[in-house]
Amino acid sequence: MNAGNSPSTWMRNRGTLNAPSPIQAALTSAATFTCGTSMPLLIVVFSPAHLLVAAETLGTLLFLALLGAIGGATGGASIARATFRVVLWGGLALVITAGIGRLVGRAI
């Protein structure tokens, strides 16, 4: 190891070459949230009223599976494991939310 490739040089260069942009992070976050909310809203708009709860639940789980697969592929992880993890925890969150709504007598 020499002065040109020492850890301190690498960290110094890494900080200046790959510094995150707050504007880019904010725009990416805004785009992600916009895309993430579009599918459930479209399901509400186009589903018949008597099938709304089932359609929303199924559509949300399918969309979570798609997002898990995209995340796994983007991050270089196992697509199947990433999809399973996102659907499992997202589905659990749906069940807990519905259970709380049933306990308090309100649809959440």
Side-chain angles (χ1 to χ4, degrees):
M1 185 173 293
N2 60 32
N5 65 358
S6 68
S8 61
T9 303
W10 182 82
M11 287 299 290
R12 185 173 50 252
N13 290 339
R14 181 177 173 268
T16 58
L17 296 176
N18 296 325
S21 164
I23 300 296
Q24 183 180 12
L27 291 175
T28 301
S29 180
T32 302
F33 281 109
T34 301
C35 291
T37 59
S38 64
M39 185 59 72
L41 288 175
L42 288 173
I43 292 170
V44 168
V45 170
F46 293 111
S47 292
H50 67 282
L51 295 175
L52 187 58
V53 173
E56 191 67 47
T57 302
L58 181 62
T60 298
L61 290 173
L62 289 173
F63 194 55
L64 284 171
L66 175 66
L67 291 175
I70 291 170
T74 303
S78 165
I79 294 173
R81 288 184 66 185
T83 301
F84 176 75
R85 184 174 51 248
V86 171
V87 171
L88 174 73
W89 293 113
L92 183 63
L94 287 171
V95 168
I96 290 170
T97 302
I100 291 170
R102 195 169 291 266
L103 282 174
V104 298
R106 298 267 185 194
I108 299 176

